[in-house]
Amino acid sequence: MNSSTSLDSTSVPDLILQLCNHFAKHAPDLSANLCKTAFNYLSTSSAMGCDVPSDEQYVVVHIRQLLSQQSQESAERFELLYSNMCKTNVLQNRRSVLRFLLKLAQKSQRELKWSTLESLDKFPATTRPKSSQLSLTKGTNSQESIHSIFQGQSIFKSVQSSCTNIPSSRTTTSAWSSRVDFETGPSQLSTDLNLVSERDLLQDIIYSFQGIEGRYLRKEVGGVGFVIDPKSGKNFTPIQRGLVERLLGMSFLHNQLKQYCDSNDEHGGVICLALIATLRDELSSYYRTIALLQTALRKNPCLDQPQMTLHKALVYIHEHRVRFEWLAYIAEQCNEKKGGALITAVHGFLQHGSKCAQEVSEKVLTAVCKPLYVMLSRWLLDGEINDPCNEFFVEARDITAAERLWHDKYHVRKAMVPSFITMDQAKKILATGKSINFLRQICKDSGQMGERDVLQKLSRTTSAESLFSPEQSLEFDSTLDKVYKETSLRVLDLLKNKYRLYEHLQSLRRYLLLGQGDFIRHLLELLVPELNKPAQEIYGHTLSAILESAIRVTNAQFEDEDTLQRLNVSFMGHSQGDTGWDVFSLVYIVDGPVGTIFQPTMTIYQCLFGALWKAKRMEFVLANMRKQQITMAKRFRKIKELKPVMHVIHILTSEMIHFLHQTQYYFLFEVLECSWAEMLRRVNQAECLDDIINAHNIFLSSVQCGVLLDESSRVLFSQLRSIYNFILTLEGHQEALNEAAEKEYEAYMQIMNRIDGPDAYGLTTEEEIVAKARVENFHQFLNSIRTKVKHLAQTYEQFVKKYLILLSSSSNMNLQLLSVRLSFNDYYKII
């Protein structure tokens, strides 16, 4: 065995005998046993195929594992010997030698008792006619010898003669035992060793590929895969078991995909059905491969060795296995998802580094994007949503009010937006479809837009890949942007020109935000007698008549007739003790397309009108008080006792006038005018209806914050209302003082006429007593009023200081500056 020439001159059986003698240390019984095992292995290998894999490294690993179980020293020795074997060129077929040694060791562990020859009795021994025996001499060619061994036709005369150190009886027994094993053929050998034939095993594998149980493979309990039957699996060789377990992975993937398709077929939406169709297309291709496997297995059915082997089956299904692994992973990630969320899950695999994962995910993504592309085109072209399974990321609600169509009927579901569509694009898509519906349903405009024709042509010429493919999405994105701008500009043009958006904004500012000064002042004067009544005694038709009168005598009469018809009075909810001032409000009625902008904000306008109306009323009250004070000073200048009280009232009134003027200036100019200018700038730059709505909402929010109606200014507004109440209280004191002074003045003038008049005759004693009592009561009343006013002034100052402290501690810089103006030169000394 040291050279190739020795192999040519010596028969293979002789070489096997020599090798066995060498290993047995020339022990006859052990050598015979080894020889029998070697010939059994050669015949089994030829009949059953390769039990040990042909890969050299795989064999080496098995040898290492086997030796490691015996001792670490044996494993280390093998490593040294194997290293030397790899360095030499003497062995021409190192792989076969290693396989033979491994098989020999495995047989020895399972079947042989090396210390005795009694194991020979376990092998069947039969007789065979001599006519069937063929001599195999030393001079026979080695290749022919091996072939004859594999065919079960060898005679062991040469073996018996060559093994000179073995007793004749034992030699004959072992030779005949080996001869009989070869003559019985591979099938008999498989039966004797209870091994499973590869053909039967392959047939079971093919069944399992289709989800069907077989003789040796059973469905996994509680799972979707297959497992080897515990009883039948005892007859599998380790190599068979390893290959079967690798092949059964394909069965698991097949069952997993099929289960996903079956469970989602009836309840899934159109996007999910597109995914299922793609999976079933892959399964159809897989079934064609299974059919080819079955055809290859059925070739040469008479022979026990099939055309197809387990190794070949692995190669056959390798491509499907890789694709199925990714498809199963995609299906798992898409489970219980639909619509855009499902597309997002698939799109994530497109970023994977594996080329196969990219190919598979691109195919699946193209399929699932087709329904989305149809929905998207329908929405952008006609503003229609055909989405029975709620898979589209634009959702339509059941809204009947025309003013709420733009705000509430359509919205974007963020969870359904595919990952390759940004939120900015989603908002443009939403606004485009909303604009089309707004034009048709609200504006009754059915005009055709040029860019829609471009989009319609694009939708017919492009595919779903234009959505997620960066190379193809540029044209679609550009066209989408053009359609969005054109539809938005069409809406803005109609609102600004046909439906007079700017005129309505000006009307709201003039009448609900008190911008029309002469009209508001005159209306206030006319309403004072009526609004001083209790709320339940006020009638709407009376206030409407007063409103009409105020319009006809002020500049409001020059307004457009449509604007004046929209202006009306309203009553808010009232409770016991409320007066007309607490429930009165002006309203401006807006409908049609502009109602989309203004109708949702009418409650805010009512609140703003109430706050500004209170401030305007306080200004009116203080102005009337000042006029009354001037009149009283002139009329009652002869009543000397009245001057000290009037002085106190005058000082307090001046403080209140300063406070109110600064507050009103802040409200009407720093807040309203600045916010109005900013809103006009935003409206002029608006690109869509949403921009106008946002600009209008920002304006109202800014005004709310400025007039202290926002959430953070509740304490400030409450304090301001208390200060307003002090003004009304002072008005009441002055009215009482004016009435008392008027009565005293009239009585005084009567007495003076009785004393100094042409017909004067003087006063009687009783009249003098009554006059003195009246004067004394008047003086007491003056002292009482003076005390009340001083106490009111002290309380008012405390409230103003608290109000100024709140203003100065606000985070709003404008409110801090207002506190400085209100406490000019540190008059109130709040620090």
Side-chain angles (χ1 to χ4, degrees):
M1 290 182 64
N2 295 331
S3 65
S4 59
T5 57
S6 63
L7 183 63
D8 295 337
S9 61
T10 307
S11 64
V12 172
D14 289 341
L15 294 175
I16 293 174
L17 288 173
Q18 293 177 23
L19 183 62
C20 292
N21 283 330
H22 174 75
F23 280 120
K25 306 296 183 182
H26 298 286
D29 293 342
L30 184 58
S31 178
N33 202 355
L34 288 176
C35 183
K36 178 178 181 296
T37 302
F39 288 129
N40 278 340
Y41 165 72
L42 292 176
S43 62
T44 303
S45 298
S46 63
M48 296 296 294
C50 184
D51 290 345
V52 179
S54 59
D55 184 69
E56 180 179 339
Q57 292 302 319
Y58 189 85
V59 177
V60 170
V61 170
H62 272 266
I63 294 175
R64 288 171 182 164
Q65 293 176 352
L66 188 63
L67 294 176
S68 297
Q69 296 173 0
Q70 297 175 3
S71 67
Q72 188 65 28
E73 182 181 355
S74 299
E76 293 176 355
R77 184 181 179 188
F78 169 74
E79 293 290 347
L80 179 60
L81 293 174
Y82 178 68
S83 176
N84 295 333
M85 181 185 293
C86 293
K87 294 178 181 179
T88 183
N89 294 325
V90 175
L91 291 179
Q92 300 297 323
N93 197 354
R94 185 173 64 243
R95 180 185 60 187
S96 299
V97 172
L98 291 172
R99 290 174 62 203
F100 172 73
L101 294 175
L102 175 60
K103 185 65 179 181
L104 201 62
Q106 291 174 342
K107 286 287 184 179
S108 66
Q109 283 194 340
R110 293 198 306 266
E111 300 174 3
L112 294 179
K113 303 289 187 179
W114 296 104
S115 61
T116 180
L117 295 177
E118 293 178 358
S119 60
L120 293 175
D121 298 335
K122 296 181 181 179
F123 292 91
T126 58
T127 59
R128 184 183 179 97
K130 290 185 178 180
S131 59
S132 64
Q133 300 177 1
L134 298 176
S135 62
L136 187 63
T137 61
K138 283 187 177 181
T140 308
N141 184 274
S142 62
Q143 297 298 328
E144 293 178 356
S145 300
I146 293 175
H147 178 72
S148 63
I149 289 175
F150 285 175
Q151 298 300 324
Q153 298 174 351
S154 58
I155 298 177
F156 288 89
K157 291 183 179 179
S158 59
V159 176
Q160 184 176 359
S161 60
S162 301
C163 189
T164 56
N165 295 325
I166 301 176
S168 59
S169 60
R170 286 295 181 185
T171 304
T172 305
T173 303
S174 62
W176 273 101
S177 298
S178 299
R179 176 179 58 82
V180 169
D181 286 339
F182 292 127
E183 289 173 351
T184 54
S187 61
Q188 181 64 39
L189 183 60
S190 298
T191 303
D192 294 338
L193 298 178
N194 294 322
L195 298 178
V196 179
S197 67
E198 190 158 348
R199 174 178 293 279
D200 294 340
L201 194 53
L202 271 171
Q203 187 61 64
D204 264 27
I205 290 293
I206 293 175
Y207 287 155
S208 70
F209 282 169
Q210 304 167 73
I212 305 172
E213 288 186 340
R215 294 169 56 190
Y216 311 109
L217 304 177
R218 297 286 183 266
K219 286 187 177 179
E220 185 180 5
V221 179
V224 296
F226 281 80
V227 294
I228 300 173
D229 184 78
K231 295 181 179 180
S232 304
K234 296 178 181 178
N235 300 325
F236 285 19
T237 65
I239 302 303
Q240 285 179 332
R241 181 179 290 274
L243 291 173
V244 168
E245 288 175 351
R246 291 174 65 186
L247 289 167
L248 286 182
M250 193 69 203
S251 305
F252 171 79
L253 296 173
H254 165 267
N255 293 346
Q256 191 176 18
L257 293 178
K258 195 171 185 302
Q259 184 181 29
Y260 177 84
C261 294
D262 295 340
S263 61
N264 293 277
D265 196 8
E266 296 182 359
H267 306 290
V270 291
I271 293 178
C272 182
L273 291 178
L275 172 60
I276 292 174
T278 305
L279 296 180
R280 285 182 171 162
D281 182 59
E282 290 286 338
L283 288 173
S284 298
S285 175
Y286 165 73
Y287 291 145
R288 287 192 291 270
T289 302
I290 299 303
L292 294 176
L293 277 173
Q294 185 67 58
T295 303
L297 183 62
R298 289 179 179 176
K299 288 182 179 180
N300 301 324
C302 296
L303 297 178
D304 212 21
Q305 176 70 20
Q307 284 287 105
M308 181 57 61
T309 63
L310 294 175
H311 287 89
K312 289 182 180 179
L314 274 175
V315 176
Y316 260 76
I317 66 167
H318 174 71
E319 183 178 354
H320 288 291
R321 182 187 181 110
V322 175
R323 294 180 68 86
F324 272 32
E325 285 176 351
W326 289 110
L327 289 172
Y329 195 13
I330 291 174
E332 181 182 358
Q333 295 298 313
C334 296
N335 195 28
E336 297 183 357
K337 294 179 182 178
K338 64 178 184 178
L342 185 147
I343 294 176
T344 298
V346 178
H347 184 253
F349 290 91
L350 197 62
Q351 316 302 323
H352 200 278
S354 171
K355 185 177 181 181
C356 181
Q358 293 177 4
E359 293 175 355
V360 171
S361 59
E362 183 174 358
K363 179 180 178 180
V364 175
L365 193 59
T366 302
V368 297
C369 281
K370 287 180 181 178
L372 175 67
Y373 189 77
V374 173
M375 296 179 191
L376 191 58
S377 301
R378 191 84 173 268
W379 172 252
L380 293 175
L381 291 171
D382 304 314
E384 297 179 3
I385 297 179
N386 185 12
D387 184 24
C389 299
N390 295 323
E391 296 179 290
F392 193 37
F393 59 86
V394 177
E395 183 183 25
R397 297 173 180 171
D398 188 13
I399 302 296
T400 56
E403 292 81 5
R404 302 303 304 176
L405 180 141
W406 185 272
H407 300 279
D408 300 333
K409 189 173 181 63
Y410 304 104
H411 72 103
V412 173
R413 294 185 293 178
K414 293 183 179 180
M416 289 295 177
V417 178
S419 54
F420 48 79
I421 295 179
T422 64
M423 283 307 300
D424 183 58
Q425 291 175 325
K427 290 178 181 178
K428 286 184 179 180
I429 292 170
L430 173 67
T432 302
K434 280 203 305 185
S435 298
I436 294 173
N437 284 284
F438 183 80
L439 289 171
R440 292 181 177 177
Q441 300 179 29
I442 308 302
C443 300
K444 308 301 180 183
D445 179 74
S446 58
Q448 192 76 5
M449 289 170 286
E451 293 298 336
R452 289 182 67 252
D453 296 335
V454 177
L455 181 63
Q456 193 170 9
K457 181 180 178 181
L458 182 66
S459 65
R460 292 194 299 263
T461 56
T462 57
S463 62
E465 294 182 7
S466 61
L467 293 176
F468 63 87
S469 176
E471 297 82 6
Q472 302 181 27
S473 62
L474 295 177
E475 184 179 0
F476 181 83
D477 185 65
S478 174
T479 306
L480 170 64
D481 192 57
K482 291 179 181 178
V483 173
Y484 162 73
K485 289 182 178 179
E486 182 175 355
T487 53
S488 299
L489 289 176
R490 177 66 175 170
V491 171
L492 295 183
D493 181 65
L494 287 175
L495 289 176
K496 291 178 180 179
N497 299 321
K498 183 177 180 180
Y499 297 103
R500 303 166 53 244
L501 172 63
Y502 289 112
E503 285 79 357
H504 289 299
L505 285 171
Q506 289 287 354
S507 298
L508 287 168
R509 176 171 175 262
R510 288 170 183 165
Y511 301 111
L512 295 192
L513 301 182
L514 313 187
Q516 191 72 27
D518 61 330
F519 166 77
I520 297 299
R521 174 75 183 197
H522 189 67
L523 178 65
L524 192 58
E525 291 178 356
L526 297 177
L527 287 174
V528 167
E530 195 69 24
L531 295 184
N532 284 331
K533 298 178 182 179
Q536 59 269 19
E537 296 181 9
I538 299 176
Y539 300 98
H541 62 273
T542 305
L543 297 183
S544 297
I546 294 175
L547 175 64
E548 186 71 20
S549 300
I551 290 174
R552 296 307 172 193
V553 298
T554 60
N555 287 330
Q557 62 182 309
F558 302 110
E559 283 283 359
D560 186 81
E561 191 63 28
D562 179 68
T563 300
L564 296 178
Q565 289 178 358
R566 295 176 184 273
L567 192 63
N568 206 342
V569 295
S570 172
F571 292 102
M572 295 181 288
H574 63 275
S575 58
Q576 189 68 27
D578 288 342
T579 64
W581 296 104
D582 300 316
V583 298
F584 172 79
S585 177
L586 280 180
V587 295
Y588 187 82
I589 302 172
V590 285
D591 52 12
V594 290
T596 299
I597 302 173
F598 301 118
Q599 191 65 36
T601 61
M602 278 299 122
T603 55
I604 300 177
Y605 274 107
Q606 295 297 313
C607 294
L608 293 176
F609 175 83
L612 296 174
W613 181 254
K614 283 184 176 65
K616 184 63 68 174
R617 181 194 174 192
M618 295 303 109
E619 180 190 32
F620 179 77
V621 167
L622 289 173
N624 287 339
M625 287 178 61
R626 177 63 76 192
K627 288 191 298 183
Q628 192 177 54
Q629 290 169 11
I630 295 173
T631 303
M632 290 175 64
K634 292 180 179 180
R635 181 175 176 79
F636 307 134
R637 62 178 176 271
K638 293 183 179 181
I639 305 177
K640 305 300 182 182
E641 298 84 356
L642 190 63
K643 290 183 179 180
V645 180
M646 291 299 300
H647 177 73
V648 175
I649 294 177
H650 178 79
I651 294 299
L652 183 56
T653 303
S654 298
E655 287 186 31
M656 290 179 174
I657 289 174
H658 170 75
F659 177 89
L660 192 66
H661 281 176
Q662 296 301 323
T663 301
Q664 270 209 309
Y665 177 83
Y666 173 74
F667 285 169
L668 298 178
F669 293 95
E670 295 189 17
V671 175
L672 272 173
E673 290 297 331
C674 295
S675 300
W676 175 262
E678 180 65 19
M679 184 191 68
L680 287 183
R681 185 186 67 81
R682 291 175 181 270
V683 169
N684 290 328
Q685 294 178 355
E687 296 182 353
C688 65
L689 179 56
D690 279 326
D691 292 342
I692 292 181
I693 294 175
N694 290 335
H696 184 245
N697 290 338
I698 292 173
F699 164 72
L700 293 180
S701 177
S702 175
V703 174
Q704 272 187 300
C705 181
V707 299
L708 311 179
L709 291 179
D710 58 323
E711 290 292 329
S712 61
S713 303
R714 284 189 174 184
V715 178
L716 274 171
F717 188 71
S718 175
Q719 197 74 10
L720 183 62
R721 291 185 65 177
S722 300
I723 294 173
Y724 288 165
N725 291 333
F726 286 128
I727 296 175
L728 297 177
T729 303
L730 181 61
E731 181 193 25
H733 291 331
Q734 184 169 305
E735 286 291 338
L737 180 62
N738 183 55
E739 292 178 4
E742 186 68 33
K743 291 180 182 180
E744 179 65 24
Y745 179 73
E746 290 178 358
Y748 174 77
M749 293 304 297
Q750 289 178 1
I751 292 174
M752 294 304 296
N753 289 334
R754 294 278 297 274
I755 296 175
D756 299 332
D759 298 330
Y761 51 84
L763 298 176
T764 64
T765 304
E766 293 179 358
E767 288 176 344
E768 288 181 357
I769 293 172
V770 172
K772 288 181 180 180
R774 190 195 70 250
V775 171
E776 185 177 352
N777 290 334
F778 179 67
H779 289 171
Q780 290 178 357
F781 174 77
L782 290 179
N783 292 332
S784 174
I785 288 294
R786 184 175 183 180
T787 302
K788 289 180 180 179
V789 173
K790 284 186 175 180
H791 181 267
L792 179 66
Q794 293 175 357
T795 310
Y796 171 79
E797 184 176 355
Q798 292 175 3
F799 272 78
V800 171
K801 285 183 178 180
K802 183 178 179 181
Y803 180 70
L804 294 178
I805 291 173
L806 292 173
L807 288 176
S808 61
S809 61
S810 173
S811 59
N812 190 340
M813 182 61 67
N814 293 327
L815 293 179
Q816 296 179 20
L817 294 175
L818 175 62
S819 70
V820 173
R821 293 204 301 271
L822 290 174
S823 181
F824 185 68
N825 285 341
D826 280 341
Y827 176 79
Y828 289 101
K829 294 182 174 58
I830 60 176
I831 299 177

